[in-house]
């Protein structure tokens, strides 16, 4: 087990430090919206591998360590390939529950930019593999913070009215909220779309799509205030993961363009500095506010030390499956003992009223 664990750690470490192609961002020298336009010029004119080609791209960009499809809307272990060949790729039949078929989810719905319009239609950076049932439930609703869920997927993604409070204040309609461990991923896909298609955003805004509320019709600022605050908060609370870096590299190999906000997370606040400054005046749960020890450990428990009020602990394995979920854990002298843990590499998500933070845990 120690050898297996070490291999996993080395693999993830290698992914985390994958090199950005030399000189790729050499012309990104500005700040504010000038920087956004410079990034647009770097990542535009990507190779369109067609809508059908997305299923080929997913086999390298969205594959779990166990070889199944990595779907951010569920914990299902979908099998790559057509149904005729033993896979679970959508074949057009109706589904009645999760984990039956997977298809392609436009995180910015087609109804916003035009059904089948290229190259948006088949851009793997923001078109994800997704459970067919959850994809249909999400429909073309914007992303947001759900206050009362009318639907919850098996990994915690939710549908319901937006919480008109805090960083999500300003909208009360129906929204789709991804699971905590993927909120930063989704936010960085939003920033990619607004940058890659900067020159088309004003024309997209004529749409009547429900998702239109996420945008403001401009090519530079791009987002309406409420949703920009949501995406910046998710971006800050859920940092870039090894999964995202690996995905970015795999899509670059297929499309020849990258998501700048995965390679350089700091670009977000260099572009949308006004909103970042306003949000920074609020308190957020930061990585250094939480200490986990011993880590790595040869035992089956770790201690979590923090002065913050933690409302939920979620332990996730490398396949994206939730191993433990503890609501309102009781800390004694600012310490909580997380016990009875299996061996392996895990992500521990801690939630509070100030946001979320994710820590890596290794149990040998």
């Amino acid at each position: 087990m120690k050898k297996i664990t070490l291999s996993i750690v080395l693999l993830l470490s290698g992914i985390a430090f994958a090199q950005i192609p030399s000189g790729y961002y050499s012309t990104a020298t500005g700040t504010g919206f000038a920087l956004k336009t410079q990034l647009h010029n770097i990542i535009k004119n990507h190779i369109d591998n067609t809508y059908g080609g997305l299923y080929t791209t997913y086999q390298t960009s969205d594959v779990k360590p166990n070889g199944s499809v990595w779907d951010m809307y569920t914990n299902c272990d979908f099998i790559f390939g057509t149904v005729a060949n033993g896979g679970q790729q959508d074949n057009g039949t109706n589904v009645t529950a999760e984990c039956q078929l997977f298809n392609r989810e436009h995180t910015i719905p087609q109804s916003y930019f035009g059904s089948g319009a290229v190259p948006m239609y088949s851009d793997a950076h923001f078109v994800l593999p997704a459970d067919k049932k959850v994809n249909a439930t999400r429909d073309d609703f914007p992303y947001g913070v759900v206050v009362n869920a009318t639907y919850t997927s098996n990994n915690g993604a939710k549908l319901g009215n937006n919480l008109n409070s805090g960083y999500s204040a300003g909208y009360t309609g129906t929204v789709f909220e991804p699971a905590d461990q993927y909120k930063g991923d989704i936010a960085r896909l939003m920033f990619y779309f607004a940058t890659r298609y900067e020159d088309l955003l004003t024309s997209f805004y004529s749409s009547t799509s429900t998702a239109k509320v996420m945008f403001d019709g401009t090519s530079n600022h791009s987002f309406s205030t409420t949703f920009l605050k949501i995406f910046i908060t998710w971006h800050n609370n859920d940092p870039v993961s090894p999964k995202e870096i690996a995905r970015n590299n795999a899509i670059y190999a297929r499309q020849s363009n990258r998501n700048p906000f995965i390679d350089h997370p700091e670009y977000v606040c260099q572009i949308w500095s006004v909103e970042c400054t306003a949000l920074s005046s609020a308190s957020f749960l930061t990585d250094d506010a939480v200490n986990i020890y011993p880590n790595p450990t040869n035992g089956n428990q770790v201690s979590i030390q923090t002065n913050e009020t933690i409302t939920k602990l979620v332990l996730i394995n490398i396949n994206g499956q939730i191993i433990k979920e503890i609501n309102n854990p009781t800390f004694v002298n600012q310490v909580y003992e997380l016990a009875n843990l299996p061996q392996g590499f895990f992500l521990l998500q801690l939630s509070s009223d100030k946001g979320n933070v994710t820590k890596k845990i290794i149990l040998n």
Side-chain angles (χ1 to χ4, degrees):
M1 176 58 74
K2 290 184 179 180
K3 290 182 179 179
I4 294 173
T5 302
L6 179 59
S7 297
I8 291 171
V9 173
L10 291 175
L11 172 62
L12 293 177
S13 298
I15 292 172
F17 293 100
Q19 292 296 309
I20 301 166
S22 177
Y24 190 79
Y25 295 108
S26 61
T27 58
T29 57
T31 58
F33 300 137
L35 172 60
K36 183 167 174 284
T37 298
Q38 290 167 343
L39 295 174
H40 164 76
N41 289 329
I42 292 169
I43 65 176
K44 67 180 183 180
N45 300 323
H46 72 263
I47 296 171
D48 184 354
N49 292 299
T50 75
Y51 194 51
L54 285 170
Y55 284 129
T56 301
T57 301
Y58 295 156
Q59 293 181 33
T60 54
S61 66
D62 294 88
V63 55
K64 293 180 182 178
N66 67 0
S68 63
V69 180
W70 204 321
D71 173 12
M72 290 194 281
Y73 285 179
T74 69
N75 283 330
C76 306
D77 281 336
F78 288 112
I79 301 170
F80 284 103
T82 63
V83 172
N85 291 313
Q88 292 175 281
Q89 180 178 305
D90 186 14
N91 62 356
T93 61
N94 292 329
V95 297
T96 57
E98 294 176 36
C99 300
Q100 293 178 348
L101 295 172
F102 75 95
N103 58 11
R104 295 154 291 195
E105 154 73 323
H106 292 85
T107 54
I108 290 81
Q110 291 187 71
S111 59
Y112 185 65
F113 58 77
S115 180
V118 295
M120 296 76 68
Y121 184 52
S122 50
D123 186 341
H125 277 297
F126 79 94
V127 185
L128 310 174
D131 180 278
K132 186 173 183 177
K133 169 69 174 177
V134 184
N135 190 354
T137 300
R138 187 260 165 140
D139 200 8
D140 71 342
F141 294 115
Y143 292 105
V145 181
V146 171
V147 58
N148 290 309
T150 57
Y151 178 88
T152 302
S153 79
N154 66 24
N155 82 339
K158 296 176 285 188
L159 187 77
N161 286 342
N162 189 62
L163 176 63
N164 186 25
S165 179
Y167 71 84
S168 62
Y171 186 71
T172 58
T174 301
V175 295
F176 184 83
E177 180 178 354
D180 289 343
Q181 64 265 33
Y182 299 123
K183 284 178 176 174
D185 305 52
I186 295 297
R188 286 178 280 276
L189 300 187
M190 298 297 105
F191 296 135
Y192 166 85
F193 182 87
T195 302
R196 168 62 182 87
Y197 300 104
E198 176 182 271
D199 56 333
L200 298 173
L201 291 180
T202 55
S203 63
F204 293 161
Y205 200 65
S206 61
S207 163
T208 58
S209 172
T210 307
K212 178 179 179 176
V213 296
M214 294 191 294
F215 301 93
D216 66 1
T218 67
S219 61
N220 48 25
H221 189 270
S222 306
F223 298 101
S224 57
T225 301
T226 293
F227 292 92
L228 180 56
K229 289 191 298 182
I230 290 172
F231 297 146
I232 290 175
T233 301
W234 289 358
H235 169 71
N236 287 335
N237 286 349
D238 178 27
V240 174
S241 66
K243 170 197 180 297
E244 285 180 88
I245 295 172
R247 187 174 198 276
N248 198 21
N249 291 335
I251 294 174
Y252 174 69
R254 291 274 292 165
Q255 292 190 181
S256 295
N257 76 333
R258 303 180 67 81
N259 184 335
F261 305 100
I262 294 174
D263 289 332
H264 288 282
E266 70 276 10
Y267 284 162
V268 171
C269 285
Q270 290 177 13
I271 295 171
W272 290 281
S273 57
V274 172
E275 287 76 13
C276 283
T277 299
L279 286 168
S280 69
S281 63
S283 296
F284 290 100
L285 183 65
T286 59
D287 185 78
D288 58 6
V290 179
N291 181 33
I292 297 178
Y293 61 91
N295 186 26
T297 178
N298 291 321
N300 66 348
Q301 73 176 51
V302 294
S303 298
I304 304 168
Q305 183 179 38
T306 180
N307 293 325
E308 304 291 343
T309 300
I310 302 300
T311 57
K312 181 162 61 171
L313 297 172
V314 180
L315 188 71
I316 303 164
N317 68 16
I318 61 172
N319 294 325
Q321 297 171 317
I322 295 176
I323 304 302
K324 284 180 179 286
E325 183 170 345
I326 303 169
N327 292 307
N328 301 311
T330 300
F331 282 69
V332 179
N333 296 323
Q334 287 78 51
V335 175
Y336 181 83
E337 300 294 339
L338 187 60
N340 300 317
L341 302 176
Q343 291 178 312
F345 176 92
F346 301 93
L347 297 177
L348 177 64
Q349 293 181 347
L350 303 96
S351 301
S352 78
D353 292 339
K354 296 181 180 180
N356 308 301
V357 68
T358 301
K359 308 284 280 190
K360 298 176 183 176
I361 298 177
I362 301 171
L363 294 105
N364 293 314

